[in-house]
Amino acid sequence: MPKVLRAFGTAAILLTAASLSHAVTPKTSTDPLFAIDLSRSAIIADIVKSFEAPAGSPGATQLKERLEKLRADRLLAASLASSRVSLDAILVEAESPQSPTFASVREKALGDTNRDLVYTPIVPCPIVNTFTSPIGRLPAASITAFDAIAGDFAAQGGQNSCATQLPTNMAAIAAQIAVVSPSNEGWLNLWPVGQTLPNNVTLGYYRDQAGDLPNIVTNSALVPLCTSACAGGKEFNLYTASEAVVTIAVVGYFAPPLGGAPGAGTVTSVATGTGLTGGPITTTGTISVANGGIGSAQLADGAVTFAKIADGSVGPSKLSSGGVGRNQVDSSTVQLRLSAMCTRGVPLIGINQDGSPICDNPARTLAYATARTSVAIRADGRPLLARDGGNLYDCADANCTSGTEINLNLGGDVSMALRTDGRPVVAVGNSSSQLLAICGDATCSIAAPVVVRTLDSGSIGTFSVLALRADNTPLVSYFEFSSGQTRLYVCNDPTCASGTIRTITASPSYTPSAMRIRPNGTPVITLRNYFGGGHALYDCNDAGCSSGTIRGLGTGTSLRFQMGLAVRSDNRAVVVNYGPVMHDCADAACTTNTARPFDTGESVFASAAAIRSDGRPLLAYGSGFGGVKLFDCADAACTSGTVRAVDQPQNFFSDQEISLALRPDNRPVIAYPTGSSGVRLLICQSVTCQ
């Protein structure tokens, strides 16, 4: 837009805003800078349109943000800029660091200090934000008093730096007001403390033609202030008809004229405040910091760092007794002393940085005979355990000191997962059918009946594996003995009211071992040879696994039962096999893989795998000598790691399996059967399970 046209546009805005200001508040100045502040949004939009196109582009957004920070006088200059070069010069000058002090402010006019007020524009400064303050959303039909003159605006969500821009003798402020997320239609009024609620409306917020409430409504207004004997020390009241968040930013203020000839004043006396000595000075002198004048009250949080303290300068004589305690120590850099002890008889195995103890939590033994287990962690940290027959054990607390048994009694082996709403889903093969049970609530209570679906019929008794999509839709893979087929049932919805049976392998070479849903939504299934042959991975080509590819993982013997499977965030699978060896897929389709041996010299009977939040694999397995072990990879590629024996149960692992889950803080929970003696649940109390 040519400069002359933009200048005419700005002049029109000034005339309109000035006449409006005069009509509403005839006793206040019709200063053009005040008119600029009343029309900031329109002027800024006009400048952005002239120098940045199209609207909404990154350049336009950046220019708008820079213009919104200008004082009224500089915004006026920006509106008259003839080129982008001159506009940038105005912006750079305005953004240069300056020291905002009242001493540099010069009076603009003389007049009656009670009636003729002088307007001073400032860089917009927020003094109220109820959302970020303890005030929160203002209740409907409420009156709240606020500070306009204060040393600390934090209590009402404002910035304390505003105190350096707003003098204590203000009679009114020019403000930008916003109402955010109102609960209903209504209006907002601002008026001085000590006066009655006026009949005018400062800002209204109403539904649009579609009946929708606005998310945010803004307006500029002149707000008169209480100037003497103000109740509670507050300067203005705010009334809102409906519940809402309110923000207020000051863009200028009215104050009595300073008097005298225009120009700088003369300092006649300098007093000393808290922590200083040498004053008052009326002619010449020196002000210095008094001995002990700087204390915690004068230092901002984090202002004194190690780099600012000379070596040896802080000794015992400089610290008061009890001056440095737990609350003054950063536990991320300094280990705090032990704050508590473990329960009698429970070993102490470590100390957290905050001083809390790490107490050993022996493996729980549940008296249930089973060959398969499945464990998951609820959102509140409580483990949920499944065993053969689809029967569940719901732990009462994070350490599973007690729990509730839930008997579904569906038949054979089990695989279990938790929906996002906490409801368990269980897959069971009962020798003649493949079943899927979906609990009606998180506790599988009688009040919310369990839905049991028959997915397939035939000679089906073992090898059920289950996975849930992000929308809780189940997928179940299983082995049908009479045909020798590995099959996949793909449910059409979270309730599995219907679905599709897909044949994964047509010969008895492979049986399903584990299944996961990759981040890209496609399933991946590990395949083992129950009779001791090679092992593989089935790579589904799409979310419904309408087709796929068998990827061989090697020619060695595969685990007879469960091969551990985990999926990285980049869709690459990790598979644990007999060796012991970890197959690390090179890509999402696992077209190639790297076989990484671990814990050499000891074979693996059953395994499970998980990926920590930092990308490092964690492997749990039953060793050939009957022990339960963890291999904690040292890096994401698992080029090395640490072997830890975590349990040595009796009667372990000849045709049995193991399950692993990670808590959000990466602490492992491991479940494994011990033959006829029951199920063991090991809840690690540290990330390393030491």
Side-chain angles (χ1 to χ4, degrees):
M1 180 186 295
K3 173 184 175 182
V4 64
L5 294 182
R6 192 168 64 255
F8 277 125
T10 303
I13 292 173
L14 291 175
L15 290 173
T16 302
S19 63
L20 176 62
S21 169
H22 184 73
V24 175
T25 54
K27 292 184 179 181
T28 61
S29 169
T30 55
D31 191 319
L33 296 183
F34 174 53
I36 286 285
D37 275 331
L38 285 180
S39 305
R40 294 181 70 88
S41 298
I43 294 172
I44 290 172
D46 186 42
I47 298 173
V48 172
K49 182 178 180 181
S50 299
F51 291 105
E52 288 287 349
S57 66
T61 301
Q62 184 182 37
L63 178 58
K64 179 175 178 291
E65 292 175 352
R66 296 177 72 186
L67 291 169
E68 286 174 342
K69 299 177 182 179
L70 296 182
R71 278 187 341 220
D73 52 346
R74 292 193 169 113
L75 185 57
L76 176 59
S79 71
L80 300 175
S82 59
S83 65
R84 183 58 192 257
V85 173
S86 59
L87 176 62
D88 286 339
I90 294 169
L91 290 169
V92 170
E93 192 276 334
E95 292 165 352
S96 300
Q98 297 181 7
S99 299
T101 60
F102 295 133
S104 63
V105 177
R106 298 188 179 188
E107 60 272 27
K108 293 185 176 181
L110 301 178
D112 190 317
T113 59
N114 294 322
R115 297 171 60 88
D116 299 300
L117 303 174
V118 176
Y119 179 69
T120 301
I122 64 171
V123 175
C125 199
I127 64 170
V128 173
N129 186 336
T130 64
F131 180 77
T132 59
S133 74
I135 300 171
R137 292 177 64 86
L138 295 177
S142 65
I143 296 177
T144 308
F146 290 96
D147 285 315
I149 301 170
D152 183 355
F153 289 101
Q156 57 192 42
Q159 293 182 2
N160 288 341
S161 59
C162 296
T164 64
Q165 302 185 63
L166 303 175
T168 58
N169 64 339
M170 294 188 302
I173 57 173
Q176 292 177 321
I177 305 155
V179 172
V180 182
S181 300
S183 62
N184 205 340
E185 293 183 322
W187 63 91
L188 177 147
N189 276 352
L190 289 90
W191 74 100
V193 166
Q195 297 184 19
T196 58
L197 175 64
N199 292 326
N200 66 300
V201 173
T202 304
L203 183 153
Y205 40 95
Y206 307 102
R207 297 182 187 275
D208 58 21
Q209 292 182 345
D212 297 325
L213 286 169
N215 183 53
I216 183 169
V217 179
T218 62
N219 194 19
S220 299
L222 175 63
V223 182
L225 304 176
C226 174
T227 57
S228 63
C230 304
K234 308 293 184 181
E235 284 75 42
F236 68 94
N237 289 322
L238 186 152
Y239 170 86
T240 179
S242 298
E243 179 185 302
V245 168
V246 175
T247 66
I248 301 174
V250 177
V251 298
Y253 60 86
F254 288 88
L258 298 179
T266 300
V267 176
T268 59
S269 178
V270 177
T272 51
T274 303
L276 300 175
T277 185
I281 298 175
T282 57
T283 53
T284 60
T286 300
I287 293 177
S288 58
V289 178
N291 187 25
I294 298 178
S296 59
Q298 285 75 41
L299 294 175
D301 291 342
V304 180
T305 61
F306 288 115
K308 296 179 180 178
I309 301 175
D311 292 343
S313 61
V314 179
S317 62
K318 305 294 185 182
L319 298 174
S320 60
S321 178
V324 178
R326 296 178 63 87
N327 295 335
Q328 287 73 45
V329 175
D330 182 359
S331 62
S332 65
T333 57
V334 178
Q335 170 72 61
L336 296 180
R337 64 180 296 180
L338 185 63
S339 61
M341 293 295 292
C342 298
T343 305
R344 180 181 293 275
V346 177
L348 174 69
I349 60 175
I351 303 174
N352 291 310
Q353 286 185 315
D354 64 359
S356 60
I358 302 174
C359 303
D360 194 13
N361 187 39
R364 313 283 183 201
T365 300
L366 307 177
Y368 305 121
T370 186
R372 291 196 74 181
T373 60
S374 188
V375 68
I377 306 298
R378 293 190 180 277
D380 59 4
R382 294 183 297 116
L384 178 68
L385 185 70
R387 59 186 177 88
D388 286 351
N391 299 320
L392 307 175
Y393 189 83
D394 197 3
C395 295
D397 53 53
N399 286 326
C400 204
T401 56
S402 62
T404 302
E405 185 177 358
I406 305 166
N407 291 321
L408 300 181
N409 296 322
L410 297 177
D413 68 335
V414 65
S415 182
M416 180 267 296
L418 278 176
R419 290 164 47 118
T420 54
D421 58 6
R423 294 161 56 190
V425 180
V426 181
V428 174
N430 69 351
S431 76
S432 63
S433 302
Q434 179 61 51
L435 304 178
L436 180 72
I438 303 174
C439 293
D441 59 19
T443 61
C444 248
S445 65
I446 298 176
V450 177
V451 175
V452 179
R453 309 284 192 195
T454 300
L455 307 183
D456 198 0
S457 299
S459 180
I460 302 169
T462 56
F463 312 132
S464 296
V465 293
L466 166 70
L468 298 179
R469 299 189 194 283
D471 66 353
N472 295 314
T473 298
L475 288 83
V476 182
S477 187
Y478 51 94
F479 185 70
E480 204 286 316
F481 279 88
S482 61
S483 65
Q485 294 178 351
T486 292
R487 298 175 180 174
L488 176 67
Y489 191 91
V490 182
C491 296
N492 289 334
D493 57 69
T495 65
C496 205
S498 62
T500 303
I501 297 176
R502 304 197 187 282
T503 299
I504 300 300
T505 63
S507 65
S509 299
Y510 293 115
T511 60
S513 173
M515 177 167 56
R516 299 288 184 268
I517 306 298
R518 290 176 281 205
N520 64 12
T522 60
V524 60
I525 306 169
T526 50
L527 302 172
R528 63 198 163 183
N529 192 318
Y530 184 77
F531 304 101
H535 51 290
L537 181 146
Y538 191 82
D539 171 33
C540 292
N541 289 336
D542 52 48
C545 205
S546 59
S547 63
T549 305
I550 297 177
R551 311 285 187 186
L553 296 178
T555 58
T557 301
S558 68
L559 292 181
R560 186 176 178 187
F561 274 82
Q562 186 178 11
M563 292 192 300
L565 170 65
V567 175
R568 300 180 185 275
S569 60
D570 61 1
N571 299 301
R572 293 186 298 122
V574 169
V575 182
V576 183
N577 197 34
Y578 182 82
V581 64
M582 186 191 87
H583 296 281
D584 193 2
C585 293
D587 51 35
C590 206
T591 53
T592 61
N593 74 90
T594 300
R596 303 189 187 281
F598 65 94
D599 197 7
T600 55
E602 190 164 353
S603 59
V604 171
F605 282 165
S607 65
I611 305 296
R612 296 189 185 276
S613 58
D614 60 3
R616 294 184 299 117
L618 179 68
L619 315 178
Y621 52 100
S623 73
F625 297 110
V628 178
K629 291 186 173 183
L630 286 176
F631 189 83
D632 199 356
C633 295
D635 51 47
C638 206
T639 55
S640 62
T642 303
V643 178
R644 294 188 179 88
V646 294
D647 197 10
Q648 188 71 42
Q650 296 179 350
N651 305 320
F652 185 50
F653 276 124
S654 178
D655 280 346
Q656 299 175 18
E657 304 200 354
I658 190 168
S659 182
L660 168 67
L662 289 180
R663 298 184 187 276
D665 61 2
N666 288 306
R667 289 185 294 136
V669 176
I670 313 168
Y672 43 94
T674 58
S676 60
S677 61
V679 176
R680 299 273 275 180
L681 185 65
L682 179 63
I683 301 175
C684 298
Q685 296 301 298
S686 65
V687 172
T688 58
C689 208
Q690 290 179 307

